[in-house]
Amino acid sequence: MIILTNDQISELLDMQECVEALESAYRDLGLADAVDMPRQDMLVSNRREGAVHSFKTMSGSWPRAGIAALRLNSDIVTWPPVNGVPRRVKVPVSEPGGRYNGSVLLFSTDSGQLLCMFSDGVMQKTRVGASSAVAAKYLSRTDAKTMGLLGTGWQAEAQLEAMRAVRPITLVKVFSPNPENRRKFAQRYSAKLNCEIRAVDDPAAAAEGADILVSATNSMQPTIMPEWLRPGIHVTSVRGSEIPTEVLKNVDRLVVNTNQPVNAYPARGWPSEVPEFSNGDYGRPDLGIIDYAAVPELKDIVAGKVEARTADSETSCFHNYKGLGLQFAAIGSIVYKKAVERGIGFKVDDSYFTQTVHP
């Protein structure tokens, strides 16, 4: 069994490979040749005022790669107002020095053995970005060249790199509330990707003329406005709260990552305290307005069971508001294979993770 760090994961990941692996995994899921178990969260109070301990798990099995994955997070979560709008913020308080807790475990579907463990941070943003790219491959115009990007943080980086893997993006207009952040983002990625990236002063300017519009923020309020829809545009986000009901109702083609619910198990009192029960991972204001059970899932688009974009004039939306454990199995299979081939990672005696006692 091997243990990998985020830095090692970064060395092993290639966005194009990740997009291709996820596309294959989604196709298998759509054909019932792979399995995904919906995310589950437990929420309890702790000693920090206004914070909860969130224990999150999701899992998936991809027989084609011989990998099953379990992703788990043990987070201290808060919802402070930023510019008058609540944001979901994880607090890094684990020792030493204030750190986060998130892990992925990869198991063999042939032997049941634990093969690999690693922190989930780098893979987390990569699988979200790559999923958005798989959706854009089927839902955006093939000649999409202009991208609007809302956000300049961890998730925004992966969204940009992933979209560039499937579409000939030549111009990116990026906005975030902090002028310095958007300036630095534009400067860094213009050089890294050899692409024109232009920092703009308001979100409407980022959306103007965009063939693909991506919101990659941690806002608990809508960031994509209905008036920004125009013929041919494709929109997506990394959080459910970023896309309002008016947008979802008015696009020609709406696709969700999954219509399976996030199962939240809160201790007493927390539903009224946590914003995500009304607009976020655990609940939506448009339930009853939009029948999510009837909305096509990405797996069915990739498997050819549901039609993808049929005309350049269509407006489309990939509502990427819930993740899949299968994503970690797909991208994890790449990481594990490369790590073994290159001899990367800290090796641990398997006897620590197996037993002779019948469990």
Side-chain angles (χ1 to χ4, degrees):
M1 200 279 291
I2 59 176
I3 299 175
L4 298 169
T5 67
N6 271 320
D7 288 341
Q8 291 168 328
I9 296 290
S10 294
E11 294 177 12
L12 298 171
L13 287 180
D14 173 81
M15 185 59 80
Q16 185 66 52
E17 287 182 334
C18 292
V19 172
E20 292 171 359
L22 275 183
E23 183 178 11
S24 180
Y26 273 110
R27 183 175 295 110
D28 282 355
L29 186 61
L31 296 173
D33 292 325
V35 176
D36 183 83
M37 287 183 63
R39 171 180 152 189
Q40 300 189 81
D41 291 17
M42 296 187 294
L43 304 172
V44 300
S45 60
N46 59 35
R47 290 179 292 179
R48 292 180 172 271
E49 185 177 354
V52 300
H53 175 246
S54 172
F55 193 83
K56 173 174 69 180
T57 61
M58 60 177 71
S59 56
S61 184
W62 193 26
R64 181 184 299 274
I67 294 289
L70 169 67
R71 186 263 184 115
L72 60 89
N73 295 87
S74 177
D75 297 320
I76 307 302
V77 182
T78 62
W79 291 267
V82 179
N83 296 323
V85 177
R87 290 190 183 182
R88 188 179 194 272
V89 176
K90 296 180 182 180
V91 184
V93 292
S94 294
E95 296 298 335
R99 299 164 72 86
Y100 300 99
N101 301 284
S103 301
V104 177
L105 283 70
L106 302 181
F107 296 86
S108 167
T109 59
D110 296 316
S111 68
Q113 195 168 1
L114 177 61
L115 302 173
C116 186
M117 296 176 60
F118 49 85
S119 296
D120 71 334
V122 170
M123 187 170 289
Q124 150 68 1
K125 72 166 183 175
T126 304
R127 61 104 187 190
V128 177
S131 298
S132 295
V134 172
K137 179 178 177 179
Y138 288 82
L139 297 174
S140 70
R141 300 196 329 268
T142 56
D143 64 348
K145 295 180 180 180
T146 300
M147 176 177 172
L149 179 60
L150 307 179
T152 56
W154 185 248
Q155 292 285 354
E157 300 172 3
Q159 293 290 319
L160 174 55
E161 292 182 11
M163 290 301 178
R164 289 263 296 171
V166 296
R167 288 294 180 257
I169 304 296
T170 57
L171 171 63
V172 179
K173 295 186 292 181
V174 60
F175 169 81
S176 71
N178 187 309
E180 185 64 11
N181 285 350
R182 62 185 185 245
R183 183 192 66 80
K184 288 182 178 179
F185 184 94
Q187 185 178 45
R188 177 185 178 190
Y189 283 94
S190 290
K192 181 178 180 179
L193 300 178
N194 191 28
C195 172
E196 182 182 358
I197 301 180
R198 188 184 304 163
V200 295
D201 295 332
D202 64 79
E208 185 178 0
D211 302 314
I212 297 175
L213 177 60
V214 178
S215 182
T217 77
N218 57 359
S219 173
M220 297 301 299
Q221 299 294 325
T223 54
I224 295 178
M225 300 296 107
E227 58 267 27
W228 297 345
L229 292 179
R230 64 179 184 83
I233 195 172
H234 173 66
V235 299
T236 189
S237 69
V238 303
R239 295 192 59 77
S241 52
E242 294 175 298
I243 303 182
T245 306
E246 291 76 15
V247 170
L248 300 175
K249 286 173 55 181
N250 287 298
V251 293
D252 297 316
R253 196 168 298 276
L254 173 62
V255 175
V256 295
N257 196 29
T258 174
N259 51 35
Q260 294 297 310
V262 173
N263 296 311
Y265 302 93
R268 183 179 54 184
W270 281 112
S272 62
E273 301 286 340
V274 175
E276 284 165 279
F277 278 98
S278 59
N279 188 21
D281 290 349
Y282 309 138
R284 296 209 31 103
D286 47 33
L287 293 177
I289 301 174
I290 296 176
D291 180 9
Y292 283 103
V295 176
E297 296 178 292
L298 181 57
K299 65 181 178 68
D300 296 321
I301 296 285
V302 178
K305 293 183 174 181
V306 176
E307 204 169 40
R309 174 181 286 268
T310 58
D312 286 347
S313 60
E314 282 186 343
T315 55
S316 59
C317 174
F318 176 51
H319 199 21
N320 191 12
Y321 69 108
K322 294 175 185 174
L324 301 177
L326 182 63
Q327 296 165 324
F328 291 94
I331 298 181
S333 68
I334 297 173
V335 166
Y336 178 68
K337 180 180 179 181
K338 287 186 176 181
V340 171
E341 290 174 348
R342 301 180 190 182
I344 295 174
F346 179 71
K347 295 183 179 180
V348 182
D349 190 331
D350 286 344
S351 63
Y352 286 103
F353 302 96
T354 57
Q355 57 184 326
T356 58
V357 176
H358 189 296

